[in-house]
Amino acid sequence: MKRSLTGLQPTNFLHIGNYIGAVQPAVALQSDTQLLMMIVDYHAITMPQDPKELRKNILSAAATYLGCGIDPAKTILFQQSRIAEHMELAWILQCVAKMGEAERMTQYKDKAKKAEGAKGAEGASVGLFTYPILMAADILLYDTEIVPVGEDQKQHVELARDLAIRFNRDFGETFVVPEPKIRAEGARIMALDDGTKKMSKSAPSAKSYIALTDDADTIRKKIMSAVTDSGTEIRTDRNRPAITNLLTIFSVATGRSIESIELAYVGKGYGDFKKDLAEAVVEYLGPIRGRILNFAADETELKRILAEGAEKAKGMAAFKMNKVRQRVGVTL
Ligand code: ATP
Ligand code: LTN
């Protein structure tokens, strides 16, 4: 069976963009690949986190994945920090990666600008800079072939590919070269309050995203107040990112093609369109929300599932690291 793997940071609640871009594609991969699903807590601390909040967020991430349909009987669901081999391999890969490569990562450049008290990269943590290399370690440690992610992670998966190819060339065949799996539509859901920005968990305004735990009324309010572009027509257009984004969400939530939705709203206004979109999203997310809340109520069970996942992942990671140490020349 092919192996697939993805990870999401336990920062805040997941939003509809995370679900469409990464979680739903991962859930779909459970039937014909061995999926590893990670809560990447050591990625989360590249930006300051309150320890109490982080602990809560790790458990709620587990509940969220389960609520979205991750099945622990099929999938290895685990917390990154429990497997020390991720950090060990990340160190070795840091010695394989080049400064120039790491400096080209666009997410680092964007996040460094936002880092607390920072004047650009000066105030960002070193971890934020090396984070894509830790992500490469996450992927390569498990012989991953397929990495379902949103569009913003494509560059990081490409770095993992480059590092795997270079390591194999220099030390002998060791790693599988992974492929990103990015959906054609919905791989970059935009913020509801700004059609030019990616929907993001760490956005300052809760109006910009729909969290998977938002109730029906909150979803309706957020969609009704979503920005639209100038003009009145309901159709996709490169110069009208906000309405294009809403049409994408409508299409993914209902399984209808964008063209058929555009056709259905010819001559109608944004008001009608948004009302129907809100109902479609409520229907799409409603059952998931209920399941997340149910799983979240049983902390003991969440911890049990994570411990079981960690045990399985540990065996695989330890096996691979033995080989890596031999290749590098530190095993006597
Ligand atoms: P933050 O904004 O705080 O960095 P995030 O919302 O980008 O967080 P991550 O944990 O970094 O969330 O991403 C988890 C997964 O969700 C990744 O595969 C990422 O590509 C995907 N993803 C994130 N935002 C979107 C989006 N707006 N549309 C589609 N996929 C997304
Ligand atoms: N960097 C990713 C999260 C992540 C990941 C991974 C995704 C960490 N390790 C391995 C896929 C595979 C992000 O979304 N911020």
Side-chain angles (χ1 to χ4, degrees):
M1 230 198 224
K2 283 196 170 186
R3 223 171 256 173
S4 57
L5 171 145
T6 198
L8 292 97
Q9 303 191 56
T11 46
N12 214 342
F13 295 113
L14 294 200
H15 53 69
I16 190 171
N18 297 132
Y19 180 66
I20 294 174
V23 183
Q24 200 184 37
V27 169
L29 280 166
Q30 288 186 116
S31 47
D32 53 1
T33 68
Q34 164 69 79
L35 173 70
L36 288 101
M37 187 81 185
M38 266 184 320
I39 301 170
V40 291
D41 43 6
Y42 276 171
H43 274 92
I45 62 167
T46 57
M47 301 291 263
Q49 305 293 333
D50 173 55
K52 272 201 206 111
E53 281 294 308
L54 180 61
R55 184 184 172 278
K56 252 188 8 210
N57 285 336
I58 291 168
L59 290 168
S60 83
T64 304
Y65 299 171
L66 294 165
C68 290
I70 291 295
D71 175 359
K74 292 185 186 151
T75 292
I76 304 179
L77 170 59
F78 69 106
Q79 206 186 329
Q80 179 190 36
S81 62
R82 295 285 292 270
I83 315 295
E85 281 81 354
H86 289 243
M87 276 49 75
E88 187 179 356
L89 181 57
W91 176 254
I92 293 174
L93 294 178
Q94 280 177 60
C95 299
V96 172
K98 308 291 175 209
M99 282 298 284
E101 262 174 331
E103 274 166 355
R104 277 195 294 278
M105 297 294 122
T106 55
Q107 190 185 63
Y108 164 69
K109 289 190 247 179
D110 293 347
K111 286 203 171 178
K113 270 188 229 148
K114 291 183 206 149
E116 207 177 39
K119 284 200 184 85
E122 293 270 307
S125 72
V126 177
L128 191 65
F129 180 62
T130 56
Y131 147 133
I133 304 171
L134 175 57
M135 174 164 162
D138 299 339
I139 297 169
L140 301 185
L141 202 46
Y142 299 96
D143 288 338
T144 306
E145 285 162 274
I146 307 165
V147 188
V149 280
E151 168 67 36
D152 64 310
Q153 296 299 316
K154 186 167 177 238
Q155 197 186 27
H156 294 162
V157 182
E158 280 162 3
L159 175 67
R161 286 175 60 84
D162 292 343
L163 295 178
I165 292 168
R166 192 174 311 148
F167 189 99
N168 289 347
R169 185 197 65 197
D170 295 346
F171 297 99
E173 204 57 32
T174 309
F175 295 122
V176 169
V177 180
E179 291 274 354
K181 187 174 170 72
I182 296 169
R183 58 191 297 164
E185 214 177 79
R188 189 174 174 83
I189 299 293
M190 309 310 282
L192 296 181
D193 59 351
D194 184 347
T196 65
K197 288 207 182 103
K198 180 181 90 90
M199 187 179 283
S200 155
K201 280 193 244 120
S202 47
S205 164
K207 275 192 176 169
S208 68
Y209 57 79
I210 295 170
L212 297 186
T213 44
D214 281 344
D215 61 24
D217 273 348
T218 310
I219 293 175
R220 289 189 186 105
K221 273 190 207 126
K222 286 184 178 178
I223 289 185
M224 293 316 285
S225 68
V227 295
T228 41
D229 308 280
S230 56
T232 51
E233 271 177 286
I234 294 157
R235 63 175 170 77
T236 57
D237 184 324
R238 219 183 322 141
N239 301 317
R240 301 171 77 220
I243 190 71
T244 300
N245 186 46
L246 296 182
L247 275 161
T248 303
I249 297 175
F250 206 146
S251 166
V252 174
T254 56
R256 287 166 64 187
S257 71
I258 290 195
E259 298 74 48
S260 81
I261 302 168
E262 285 173 340
L263 243 147
Y265 289 93
V266 172
K268 295 189 181 162
Y270 283 148
D272 288 334
F273 171 75
K274 281 178 163 179
K275 249 189 223 148
D276 295 347
L277 170 61
E279 293 319 311
V281 174
V282 166
E283 220 168 279
Y284 182 58
L285 296 185
I288 298 175
R289 175 175 188 264
R291 289 196 299 263
I292 294 174
L293 297 178
N294 268 338
F295 280 112
D298 191 349
E299 215 176 272
T300 314
E301 175 65 358
L302 293 174
K303 286 192 199 157
R304 190 195 63 76
I305 292 172
L306 288 177
E308 200 177 85
E311 205 176 300
K312 288 186 194 148
K314 177 80 190 169
M316 294 161 79
F319 181 81
K320 192 75 184 180
M321 266 321 292
N322 262 330
K323 187 160 175 188
V324 173
R325 283 188 218 103
Q326 280 169 16
R327 292 283 200 233
V328 171
V330 295
T331 306
L332 302 180

